[in-house]
């Protein structure tokens, strides 16, 4: 008997998937406000899961030379340089003889680089304009800035004083309603007793449906073996009662692993604390069971709009509309039949 | 710290979570700055000016912890009237000797002390990096001093210090460092507010701080602040060095240094230490207070550990077998000697000088001129392949066909493939078990040296030559195990710990050591690590199950003491300074010292104890002298001897600087170690002409993703792909000035070399306004070389060789260069480019900035062309 | 507002690199390279952001096999329906063409589907499960039902070539009946085969596909019938093709109406109007119109019938590839992901657009 919210809305996925007395749902809370961008998570993940090389090119995206989550990078640390205020911190370059910020322009160049990650689609190039706005924000006063003065002569307006460097370790969201899992035609993708979503590499036949279905652009296909790969939440470690490799390696507890309910409470407190400390831009992402995917198993504390980190602002699991889709397909099918009948029967002359 | 020590940085983040304010001072905005509450961009090489400003702030506002300062430091001690300060001599102290550019330290001494406290003149001390000996004990001074505890006497250290730093005003800090005054004051305020009776602050620095021609004085300045604020010997206080590798502390305790023996015993000097007695006396300094009175015991036990039964009282315990120093045998002197063909063979273990040491070209040419070279490493590093792949092949300076060096590359076991200890910055020894067998032919250092020694001894077994006795008499029998006869690391630890020769019982404390040969011990400060035959370093009791000091996790030298000089955590009467900072105190009932940690004091010596007038050694330590390894039992705000470049820190410009020293006429450290060798030429600096040929400051440091010279990271796929290319970070302003584009190429030129790198134009670097001028700084990672999965030019090739006089460490964190767009020329054109720059910056002869510049006009904008 | 990145630094070289950036934008986003205000044409207001401007979604990894399959699958379905219609209305020539079209189409489809897999050798893993939530799984089973039926129906057409006597003679006498049953069976599953592909594409995060789910099955269904009718007009005896003309008209009407709605979906409809995908879609419409009109006037001209038929077939091909490409384009450009989602969220949270990107 499928749950009323089987396709959409709040749900505890493991029992819904048929596990009897399943363990509590486990997940990640990634607090980007304490991430130091050390990339230990990326390395630990690759070491433990034997993930292949993902390319050796300098991308010029600040310190990000991974570029995106791919089949060959299951953790990805994003770096964003912004000429903007960071909480209550004293402006980094106040009174230094500097000109206007370059970050937006360099970000624009960063958008045009790429690297062979050994996967499909891997790391497509981007839109320089959007990249520039990622750094500068859409505020018009940032746009069309006139050429800089020689250093030190710039007026107060043109000098950069504020600066912040965002870092965030991205990962598969292990959605409550996982489109990748829903659309998988082979049953290769499955829901574990911990509520996470895992690909069985011995089943996957590389149809690629999950890749188009993921609203976060997480899952990806390896060129050499044609199969789809992504974070498993270290299913093998969980089974042995261990912490996933990335969370284990994270030195600053930016990546926290635990029962999802507990993590959500912790996250709420953390946001409150940060706002109390003058970081109004602190917000949670993916924590809400009522959102478009029924809440993420891996959710985040962000300091800017989701899309700045490459996350969709308001993702919705595509299968929410599946019943409607089938209805429309049925109608269309009837229309076809009707058309044919009319063509052959209708108006004989 | 987040960049180079991410794991340690977790505690900074923990403190921040609890509301701590984090200040970050760095030439570039790093991953640490991103998490800091306040970021202070600073001009590389000006830290003494910044810290000096803090000292002035403390003294002028009387923010020092006065009770502590009076009782526990030498603030009250009177200095002889012969002493003249930099204030009156344009940046030189009294006693400067122009002939060999050293100080005669006599005029710095305490009032009433005799002329010479040292057996070696300053030049010999510089040649032998004598400063290193003071890592575990103060320089020699007599125990009795004249004091004015009102601190009013103009010749007391407190007043001298105040005068010395009087010109380090916030304005001057801004003028020298480029740090805005408000930001500086914010830092000074936070630091002082967080110190005193109820609070303590810890100064944590990374070893990049030391790699300057005034490196030792950097640390001295920090130590002075910590003493003034009462942050030494107390919980949450201290000065901590974040080492560059897992066991650098260990490698000075049981040294890989030419001038030290285990436990900071000095390596004998051929002229000054002909006999055992002369040697130990030069350490013990009869008449001096403190534990070094027992130097003979420590020395004899070491010799006994080396030569076992052969070491007897009659033969001075084989003291004659010890090698002797004849002068500077430091790594840079050796490199120059290799180039000159004076050194024939060389061992490299876990070191990659072809990439990791200053003046890479000199390093590679030196190695290319050896007869043989042994390289033990995890991967085939640059120092093992320079003969076929070095950049000098392209320029024809090294020809593979003719390179005479025979290189033996031996694969080494990594730290998880062998057992042993790491000693970290808190002097904590932690035992490592072997996790996996080393692959293939890889072996541990222990295996290598044990069997090398065994084989050499077998070859010489029949020798009758006296010179071979030292080898043949060695106490060289360690139990081995396994298919490859791996020596037992625990047996070595047991020997280091020391034992009773007759019974073999492990010693539990260095106080059990005898100077009559009845005990033997390889490193007196480590005695106790194997107490009761138990490997104390292997203890792993979780912190939750023990006190906050966690004495049962690993083992700390000396005597498992977690905080040194912790007597200072109690006031002179032995009571805690405050409940909040209670740590070690005097228990009147039991009449003994007690507390959470092992008291760093004689257990039953009451606070009231006063030594007899002629008392020396341990007996000379008064009940309120916490700094028991100092000659006078006090913390030194002022060093009457032992620091070769002055009793107090003074801001000198880096040897290569675009700026005329705004503080004094004296431009750079006058006593720095200079190597005049054709290969070692330096860029001109003010007041000399042509310094504008190299207008930019460059500094190098680490990326989180790589480790030092890259031998363990550029060779590992998962790490290499995270930072896959050599790059240089420049500010947008410099990019415009020099026409550099993001992700384009640039090359940097010094009088030594030109290297190329991809350009990252970033807001994280900013120009600084220094002394009325705009100064541009560029930053490079020093990880890259020509081997491994990812390769690139080596930043260290840019540096020349100039050393700190105290410990002979190189100035490899700051220099001047020019930056040009595009890739560097190749082959001969490359050499022509460098030659052209040298021509433009003067002439083609090797060039060394003058040691003394007090005759040229004062600093200031007018100086610079 | 221009796309020139804000805070453009001084210096001729930065201006140069800026121009290089802008040209790149132009070329990437409009094949015809409209210089540096390229995005201005495509996004008048939405100053959207994404991580280094890169796609938020992973563009589908499906190759043109799938676009081709959309066509062949539809063709097969249409063929089956026509075959059945002809069978029931006694048009043997047309019936034969319909059945052969069905078999040809479904065979090509099977090949294309397997060929597109990352692990073709594992195509049978599709048969491990039957999942209603996976249109691909549903489609697999539809094909499994349709394929054999269509095959039998078509092969039955060969019966007249068998000997009159013996066992084969028996088969020859049995064949027409079996063929008719199979033909009807295939016709029953045919509409599903032609329309489920609309769900196949829509049930993804690809904006232009997902948002089009109400219309795509009609577009595909109509296009399928038109294509099959086209084949009939080419191959079937003119005397029997009258129904095909009516069919062509109705089919193109269904397709056209659906298509219009898709193109008018606002921002996410853009790829159906612009760029390469837009041109393909337009070509599909034009050919459809031409083909249909031509068909109406081709009663007496065999040549005109063939031409109109060819136009209808071509139209279907163009439409399928156009829709396929439009999805690719909408997934590759983060604009189509970010802007609509932001607007949806801001509407829900009652945020004014001014607060964007705070």
């Amino acid at each position: 008997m499928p749950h009323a919210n089987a396709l959409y809305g709040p749900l505890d996925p493991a029992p819904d998937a048929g596990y009897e007395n399943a363990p509590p749902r486990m997940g990640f809370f990634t607090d980007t406000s304490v991430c130091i961008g050390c990339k230990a998570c990326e390395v630990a993940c690759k070491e433990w899961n034997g993930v292949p090389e993902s390319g050796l090119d300098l991308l010029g995206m600040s310190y990000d030379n991974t570029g995106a989550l791919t089949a060959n990078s299951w953790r990805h640390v994003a770096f964003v340089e912004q000429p903007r205020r960071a909480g209550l911190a004293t402006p980094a370059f106040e009174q230094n003889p500097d000109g206007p910020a370059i970050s937006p322009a360099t970000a624009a160049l960063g958008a045009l680089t790429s690297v062979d990650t050994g996967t499909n689609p891997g790391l497509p190039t981007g839109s320089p304009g959007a990249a520039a706005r990622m750094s500068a924000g859409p505020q018009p006063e940032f746009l069309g800035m006139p050429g800089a003065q020689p250093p030190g002569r710039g007026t107060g307006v043109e000098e950069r004083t504020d600066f912040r460097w965002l870092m965030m370790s991205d990962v598969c969201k292990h959605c409550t309603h996982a489109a990748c899992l829903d659309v998988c035609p082979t049953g290769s993708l499955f829901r574990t007793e911990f509520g996470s979503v895992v690909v069985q590499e011995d089943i996957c036949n590389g149809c690629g449906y999950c890749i188009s279905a993921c609203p976060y652009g997480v899952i990806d296909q390896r060129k050499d073996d044609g199969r789809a790969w992504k974070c498993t939440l270290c299913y093998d470690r969980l089974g042995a009662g261990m912490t996933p490799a990335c969370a284990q390696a994270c030195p600053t507890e930016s990546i926290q692993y635990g029962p999802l309910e507990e993590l959500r409470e912790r996250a709420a407190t953390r946001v409150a604390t940060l706002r109390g400390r003058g970081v109004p831009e602190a917000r949670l992402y993916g924590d809400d069971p009522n959102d478009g995917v029924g809440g993420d198993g891996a959710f985040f504390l962000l300091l800017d709009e989701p899309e700045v980190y490459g996350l969709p602002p308001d993702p919705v699991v595509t299968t929410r509309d599946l019943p409607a889709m089938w209805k429309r397909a049925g109608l269309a099918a009837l229309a076809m039949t009707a058309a044919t009948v009319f063509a052959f029967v209708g108006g004989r002359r | 710290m987040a960049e180079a020590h991410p794991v340690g940085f977790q505690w900074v983040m923990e403190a921040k979570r609890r509301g701590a304010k984090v200040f970050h001072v760095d030439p570039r905005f790093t991953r640490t700055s991103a998490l800091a509450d306040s970021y202070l961009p600073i001009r590389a090489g000006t830290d003494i000016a910044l810290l000096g400003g803090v000292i002035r702030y403390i003294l002028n506002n009387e923010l020092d912890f006065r009770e502590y300062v009076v009782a526990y430091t030498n603030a009250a001690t009177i200095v002889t009237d012969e002493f003249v300060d930099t204030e009156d001599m344009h940046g030189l102290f009294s006693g400067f000797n122009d002939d060999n550019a050293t100080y005669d330290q006599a005029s710095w001494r305490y009032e009433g002390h005799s002329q010479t406290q040292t057996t070696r003149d300053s030049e010999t001390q510089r040649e032998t990096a004598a400063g290193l000996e003071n890592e575990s004990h103060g320089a020699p001074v007599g125990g009795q001093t004249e004091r004015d505890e009102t601190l009013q006497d103009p010749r007391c250290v407190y007043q001298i210090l105040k005068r010395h730093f009087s010109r380090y005003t916030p304005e001057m800090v801004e003028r020298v460092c480029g740090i805005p005054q408000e930001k500086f004051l914010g830092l000074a305020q936070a630091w002082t507010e967080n110190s005193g009776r109820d609070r303590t602050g810890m100064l944590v620095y990374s070893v990049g701080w030391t790699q300057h021609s005034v490196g030792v004085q950097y640390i001295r300045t920090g130590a002075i602040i910590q003493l003034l604020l009462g942050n030494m010997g107390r919980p949450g206080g201290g000065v901590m060095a974040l080492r560059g590798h897992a066991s650098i502390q260990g490698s000075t305790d049981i040294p890989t240094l030419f001038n030290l023996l285990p436990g900071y015993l000095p390596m004998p000097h051929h002229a000054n230490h002909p006999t055992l007695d002369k040697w130990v006396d030069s350490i013990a300094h009869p008449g001096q207070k403190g534990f070094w009175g027992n130097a003979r015991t420590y020395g004899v036990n070491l010799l006994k550990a080396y030569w076992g039964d052969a070491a007897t009282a009659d033969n001075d315990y084989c003291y004659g077998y010890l090698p002797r120093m004849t002068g500077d045998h430091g790594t840079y002197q050796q490199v120059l000697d290799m180039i000159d063909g004076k050194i024939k063979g060389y061992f490299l273990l876990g070191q990659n000088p072809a990439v990791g040491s200053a003046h890479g070209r000199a390093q590679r040419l030196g190695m290319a001129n050896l007869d043989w070279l042994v390289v033990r490493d995890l991967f085939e590093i640059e120092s093992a392949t320079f003969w076929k792949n070095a950049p000098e092949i392209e320029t024809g300076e090294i020809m593979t066909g003719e390179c005479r060096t025979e290189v033996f590359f031996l694969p080494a076991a990594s730290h998880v493939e062998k057992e042993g200890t790491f000693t970290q910055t808190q002097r904590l020894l932690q035992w490592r078990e072997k996790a996996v067998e080393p692959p293939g032919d890889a072996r541990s250092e222990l295996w290598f040296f044990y069997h090398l020694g065994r084989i050499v001894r077998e070859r010489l077994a029949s020798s009758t030559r006296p010179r071979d006795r030292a080898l043949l008499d060695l106490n060289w029998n360690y139990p081995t195990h396994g298919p490859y006869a791996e020596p037992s690391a625990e047996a070595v630890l047991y020997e280091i710990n020391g034992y009773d020769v007759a019974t073999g019982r492990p010693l539990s404390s260095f106080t059990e050591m005898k100077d009559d040969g009845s005990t033997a011990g390889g490193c007196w400060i480590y005695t106790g690590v194997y107490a009761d035959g138990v490997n104390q370093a292997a203890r792993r009791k979780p912190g939750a199950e023990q006190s906050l000091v966690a004495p049962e996790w690993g083992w700390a030298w000396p005597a498992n003491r977690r905080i040194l000089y912790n007597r200072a955590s109690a006031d002179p009467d032995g009571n805690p300074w405050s409940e909040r900072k209670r740590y070690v105190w005097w228990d009147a009932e039991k009449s003994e010292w007690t507390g959470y940690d092992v008291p760093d004091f004689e257990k039953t010596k009451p606070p009231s104890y006063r030594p007899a007038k002629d008392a020396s050694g341990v007996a000379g330590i008064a009940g309120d002298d916490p700094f028991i390894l100092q000659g006078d039992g006090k913390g030194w705000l002022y060093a009457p001897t032992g620091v070769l470049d002055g009793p107090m820190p003074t801001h000198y410009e880096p040897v290569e600087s675009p700026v005329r020293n705004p503080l004094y006429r004296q431009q750079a450290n006058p006593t720095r170690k200079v190597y005049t060798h054709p290969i070692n030429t330096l860029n001109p600096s003010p007041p000399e002409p042509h310094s504008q040929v190299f207008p930019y400051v460059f500094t190098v440091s680490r990326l989180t993703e790589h480790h030092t010279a890259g031998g363990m990271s550029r060779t590992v796929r998962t790490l290499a792909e995270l930072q896959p290319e050599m790059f240089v970070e420049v500010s947008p302003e410099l990019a415009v000035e020099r026409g550099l584009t993001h992700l384009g190429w640039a090359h940097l030129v010094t009088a030594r070399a030109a290297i190329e790198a991809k350009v990252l134009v970033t807001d994280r670097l900013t120009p600084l306004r220094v002394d009325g001028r705009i100064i541009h700084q560029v930053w490079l990672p020093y990880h890259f070389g020509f081997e491994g999965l990812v390769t690139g030019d080596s930043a260290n090739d840019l540096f020349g060789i100039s050393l700190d006089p105290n410990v002979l460490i190189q100035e490899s964190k700051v220099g001047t260069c020019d930056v040009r767009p595009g890739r560097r020329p190749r082959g001969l054109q490359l050499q022509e480019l460098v030659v052209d720059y040298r021509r433009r910056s003067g002439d083609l002869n090797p060039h060394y900035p003058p040691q003394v510049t007090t005759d040229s006009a004062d600093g200031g904008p007018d100086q610079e062309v | 507002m221009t796309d020139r990145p804000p805070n453009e630094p001084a210096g001729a070289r930065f201006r140069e690199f800026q121009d290089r950036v802008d040209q790149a934008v132009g070329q990437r986003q409009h094949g015809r390279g409209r210089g540096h205000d390229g995005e201005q044409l495509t996004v008048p207001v939405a100053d959207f952001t994404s991580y280094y401007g890169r796609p938020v979604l992973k563009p589908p990894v499906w190759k043109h096999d799938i676009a081709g399959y959309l066509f062949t699958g539809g063709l097969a379905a249409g063929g089956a329906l026509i075959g059945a219609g002809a069978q029931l209305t006694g048009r043997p020539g047309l019936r034969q063409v319909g059945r052969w079209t069905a078999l040809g189409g479904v065979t090509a489809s099977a090949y294309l589907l397997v060929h597109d897999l990352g692990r073709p050798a594992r195509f049978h893993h599709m048969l491990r499960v039957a999942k209603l939530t996976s249109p691909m799984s549903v489609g697999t089973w539809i094909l499994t039902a349709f394929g054999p039926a269509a095959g039998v129906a078509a092969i039955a057409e060969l019966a007249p070539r068998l000997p009159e006597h013996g066992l084969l003679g028996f088969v020859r006498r049995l064949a027409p009946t079996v063929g008719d049953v199979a033909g009807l069976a295939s016709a029953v599953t045919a509409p599903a085969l032609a329309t489920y592909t609309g769900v196949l594409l829509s049930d993804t995060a690809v904006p232009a596909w997902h948002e089009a789910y109400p219309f795509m099955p009609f577009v595909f269904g109509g296009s399928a019938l038109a294509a099959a009718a086209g084949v009939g007009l080419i191959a079937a005896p003119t005397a029997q093709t009258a129904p095909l003309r009516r069919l062509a008209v109705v089919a193109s009407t269904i397709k056209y109406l659906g298509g219009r709605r898709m193109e008018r979906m606002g921002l996410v409809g853009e790829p159906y109007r612009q760029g390469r995908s837009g041109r393909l879609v337009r070509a599909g419409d034009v050919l459809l119109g031409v083909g249909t009109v031509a068909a109406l006037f081709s009663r007496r001209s065999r040549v005109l019938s063939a031409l109109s038929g060819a136009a209808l077939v071509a139209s279907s091909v163009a439409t399928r590839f156009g829709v396929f490409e439009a999805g690719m384009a909408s997934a590759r450009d983060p604009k189509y992901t970010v802007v609509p989602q932001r607007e949806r969220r801001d509407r829900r949270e009652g945020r004014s657009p001014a607060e964007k990107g705070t």
Side-chain angles (χ1 to χ4, degrees), chain A residues 46 63 92 99 103 160 277, chain B residues 183 721 729 733 763 765:
Chain A
K46 286 203 169 195
Y63 276 3
S103 303
R160 64 177 182 278
R277 289 190 190 164
Chain B
K183 275 195 173 173
E721 65 188 15
E729 288 184 353
E733 293 73 18
D763 289 331
L765 265 80

Side-chain angles (χ1 to χ4, degrees), chain B residues 244-319:
Chain B
H245 314 262
S247 199
I248 292 291
Q249 178 65 50
S251 72
T252 49
D253 299 343
I254 297 185
T256 54
L257 300 160
F258 75 93
N259 60 339
L260 284 187
L261 292 166
Y264 300 95
L265 297 166
M267 181 71 84
H269 188 274
H270 75 103
N272 303 324
H273 311 122
T275 66
L276 176 63
D277 299 323
K278 276 217 162 44
W279 180 54
V280 294
D281 285 353
S282 76
I283 311 168
H285 299 286
Q288 185 185 341
K289 289 185 183 184
F291 276 80
W292 281 93
N294 305 332
R296 183 181 188 84
T297 313
Y298 312 145
V300 168
N301 274 268
L302 175 63
L303 295 169
K304 195 73 186 152
Y306 280 169
W307 285 287
D309 304 340
T312 64
D314 317 332
N315 63 7
D316 270 355
Y317 303 98
C318 301
Y319 174 76

Side-chain angles (χ1 to χ4, degrees), chain A residues 245-261:
Chain A
C246 55
Q248 186 80 56
C250 179
T252 60
E253 289 177 340
S254 170
I255 301 175
Q256 302 178 27
Y257 162 79
L260 198 55
E261 279 314 313

Side-chain angles (χ1 to χ4, degrees), chain B residues 308-338:
Chain B
D309 304 340
T312 64
D314 317 332
N315 63 7
D316 270 355
Y317 303 98
C318 301
Y319 174 76
Y321 288 169
L322 275 183
R324 302 293 197 268
M325 290 189 293
T326 59
D328 176 1
H329 311 292
T331 165
Y332 289 96
Q333 182 59 59
Q334 290 190 341
V335 165
L336 300 177
D337 287 347
M338 291 183 211

Side-chain angles (χ1 to χ4, degrees), chain A residues 7-230:
Chain A
L7 291 178
Y8 190 68
L11 177 78
D12 189 354
D16 181 66
Y19 290 97
E20 285 166 12
N21 47 50
R25 183 178 181 188
M26 305 303 272
F28 287 130
F29 165 44
T30 306
D31 178 356
T32 68
S33 70
V34 293
C35 177
I36 58 172
C38 68
K39 302 181 191 172
C41 47
E42 287 192 34
V43 177
C45 173
K46 286 203 169 195
E47 282 293 318
W48 179 263
N49 296 299
V51 178
E53 179 179 328
S54 50
L56 292 172
D57 289 350
L58 189 71
L59 296 178
M61 302 159 65
S62 187
Y63 276 3
D64 178 3
N65 292 303
T66 305
L69 287 172
T70 67
N72 289 348
S73 300
W74 299 354
R75 271 269 176 195
H76 162 236
V77 181
F79 290 79
V80 180
E81 301 184 13
Q82 295 179 323
R84 300 163 64 176
R85 193 78 190 269
L88 287 179
T90 14
F93 300 111
E94 204 163 44
Q95 293 180 40
N96 289 117
D98 43 29
I102 191 76
S103 303
T106 51
L109 273 187
L112 297 174
T113 59
S114 191
V115 57
D116 179 5
T117 59
T119 70
N120 263 330
L123 180 64
T125 55
S127 142
R133 285 185 294 269
M134 163 196 76
S135 169
Q139 296 89 330
E141 65 267 25
F142 271 103
L143 302 172
M145 183 75 78
Q149 315 292 323
R153 309 234 187 81
T155 72
V157 187
E158 287 162 351
E159 286 175 9
R160 64 177 182 278
T161 54
D162 289 5
F163 181 81
R164 67 174 186 174
W165 199 4
L166 302 178
M167 296 156 198
M168 176 262 207
S169 177
D170 197 3
V171 70
C172 170
K173 314 300 178 294
H174 296 279
C175 312
T176 302
H177 297 293
C180 58
L181 186 158
D182 287 346
V183 304
C184 176
T186 63
S188 162
L189 274 148
F190 76 107
R191 178 80 57 181
T192 74
E193 62 271 38
F194 304 101
S196 57
V197 179
V198 177
V199 188
Q200 306 174 74
E201 60 252 41
D202 56 339
I203 303 296
C204 174
N205 66 2
C207 75
Y209 205 175
C210 50
I211 295 165
S212 327
C214 175
Y216 296 96
V218 168
I219 195 162
D220 180 36
Q221 185 181 41
R222 270 180 207 160
K223 281 180 189 164
D224 52 358
D225 79 355
R227 288 174 292 178
W229 299 84
K230 71 167 192 75

